[in-house]
Amino acid sequence: MDITKEIQKLKEEKNAIVVAHNYQNKDIQEIADFVGDSFYLSKICAQRQEKMIIFCGVYFMAETTKILSPHKKILLPEINAGCSLANMITADDVDRLKEEYPDYSIVCYINSPASVKAKSDVICTSSNAIKIVRNIPNNKIIFLPDRNLGLFVKRNVPEKDIVLWDGFCFTHSKIKKDDALKAKSDHPDALLLVHPECREEVIELADFVGSTKQIIDFVISSPAKEFIIGTEIGILHSLKNLNPEKRFYILSQRMICPEMKKTILTSVREALLHEKYEINVDENVLEGAQRALIKMLKIG
Ligand code: 13P
């Protein structure tokens, strides 16, 4: 049997849904019931009736889904699909920061381990980071773990004292000013849209800075016809599907996240067949992480 039909049949038998992040391979996005950014997907999973979720993405995303849906079975088809950025900070690091900066509030990007979320005051995503930092009553903030997103927030909220952690995403951070200048000169009529995990020198050249969802929404409502996309290449699939009359150029062919590309159709079939790999979150950590995520919903 064709593998996509097999996946469909297994989904029905198991009463499961498959969700995929915007950076997943094209064929994974095509078999998914929902495609989007990690927080949107976690919220969808919490609202759905199905008790089994196959999360095609990286570890912290499936973990966040489990935090918001602790009674559901959350499966990550490739257990080694991680996020280098999320792994650049630990709960012990947060303890040390708290000692060093006792009167600071901790705002933590969703790309982080559950144990770090649990020790944070509030979580943010790349789409609401500015709003969260602006609205949190404390003027002293520690922003974890992405320094580029943190710098972007700092620039937009200059009235606050923001301490940054030195984490970064390999896929976004390796793109330099020269890459952006070259793409702009190759496509002079195109707008440059970049993710805030990019370096400041790239962000400065952009026409728009936003999360994957914000980039997709910007393109849909823009009258422009050509766009240079400064985020992971997988997003081109949705962009092209939703805007067949517009043209897209990836900022650099090196904008590929190897972790996101680990999940292939056979991984999804195996996940459904053998109900693997189940993601669980330590009970002591779950409650704190849930509190910080719920606070984001209130503030954001
Ligand atoms: P979004 O929240 O914009 O989808 O970003 C996810 C991500 O991991 C960026 O590297």
Side-chain angles (χ1 to χ4, degrees):
M1 197 197 292
D2 168 53
I3 190 159
T4 57
K5 289 202 180 113
E6 218 179 316
I7 289 172
Q8 191 53 40
K9 188 166 165 277
L10 283 165
K11 270 196 319 192
E12 283 159 26
E13 276 170 23
K14 304 254 175 176
N15 190 26
I17 54 164
V18 175
V19 301
H21 187 265
N22 287 320
Y23 296 162
Q24 286 288 292
N25 287 306
K26 176 171 175 274
D27 42 4
I28 298 292
Q29 293 193 35
E30 278 169 1
I31 54 110
D33 298 290
F34 296 94
V35 178
D37 65 37
S38 62
F39 188 59
Y40 160 80
L41 295 175
S42 303
K43 279 194 299 184
I44 290 278
C45 295
Q47 287 158 11
R48 298 285 304 190
Q49 299 297 315
E50 290 84 354
K51 294 281 180 278
M52 188 186 288
I53 316 278
I54 318 299
F55 200 113
C56 302
V58 293
Y59 193 92
F60 82 84
M61 298 179 175
E63 197 181 48
T64 307
T65 306
K66 182 71 182 177
I67 295 165
L68 293 177
S69 304
H71 303 300
K72 294 188 181 174
K73 192 175 236 184
I74 312 298
L75 305 174
L76 181 69
E78 287 294 331
I79 193 63
N80 293 320
C83 169
S84 55
L85 164 63
N87 295 330
M88 284 179 189
I89 181 110
T90 66
D92 287 346
D93 293 327
V94 183
D95 286 339
R96 279 191 288 273
L97 283 167
K98 282 186 173 185
E99 266 178 42
E100 201 179 336
Y101 301 95
D103 49 351
Y104 282 61
S105 294
I106 299 186
V107 178
C108 179
Y109 186 28
I110 199 161
N111 296 34
S112 53
S115 55
V116 169
K117 287 186 176 76
K119 288 180 182 273
S120 302
D121 294 289
V122 57
I123 307 305
C124 71
T125 67
S126 47
S127 46
N128 64 18
I130 292 174
K131 197 169 179 186
I132 297 285
V133 169
R134 201 172 270 150
N135 290 351
I136 197 167
N138 197 344
N139 280 335
K140 295 176 177 181
I141 309 277
I142 298 173
F143 190 91
L144 308 175
D146 188 88
R147 67 170 180 227
N148 291 329
L149 176 61
L151 264 176
F152 177 64
V153 171
K154 221 172 147 91
R155 282 214 150 193
N156 284 279
V157 194
E159 65 278 16
K160 297 219 174 186
D161 169 11
I162 304 175
V163 173
L164 301 178
W165 185 253
D166 202 19
F168 60 91
C169 160
F170 281 103
T171 306
H172 289 92
S173 213
K174 67 185 163 195
I175 305 308
K176 307 263 178 68
K177 182 178 180 175
D178 283 353
D179 298 298
L181 288 173
K182 180 171 184 318
K184 276 166 90 86
S185 92
D186 287 350
H187 308 290
D189 296 329
L191 295 181
L192 174 62
L193 320 181
V194 308
H195 196 279
E197 285 177 23
C198 286
R199 287 168 184 259
E200 195 175 28
E201 67 194 45
V202 173
I203 287 181
E204 277 168 359
L205 294 169
D207 297 290
F208 178 75
V209 185
S211 67
T212 55
K213 184 185 180 323
Q214 287 172 324
I215 288 177
I216 292 171
D217 291 347
F218 179 91
V219 169
I220 291 171
S221 60
S222 170
K225 292 277 173 274
E226 293 182 46
F227 304 88
I228 302 161
I229 304 298
T231 191
E232 212 275 345
I233 198 162
I235 196 175
L236 292 188
H237 182 61
S238 292
L239 285 170
K240 287 177 183 168
N241 260 353
L242 295 165
N243 306 277
E245 75 295 357
K246 297 184 178 176
R247 298 183 73 145
F248 301 97
Y249 315 103
I250 192 76
L251 170 49
S252 160
Q253 291 298 333
R254 293 176 295 133
M255 297 202 83
I256 298 175
C257 171
E259 300 298 315
M260 282 284 178
K261 303 307 186 224
K262 282 181 177 164
T263 309
I264 54 175
L265 287 174
T266 49
S267 337
V268 179
R269 181 187 57 199
E270 294 305 293
L272 277 158
L273 258 179
H274 306 295
E275 302 190 9
K276 67 180 190 181
Y277 293 90
E278 188 172 359
I279 303 302
N280 282 304
V281 178
D282 189 308
E283 253 180 56
N284 307 319
V285 163
L286 195 132
E287 209 180 296
Q290 211 173 49
R291 171 200 39 79
L293 276 161
I294 290 169
K295 188 146 179 212
M296 166 174 84
L297 296 178
K298 284 193 188 137
I299 299 181

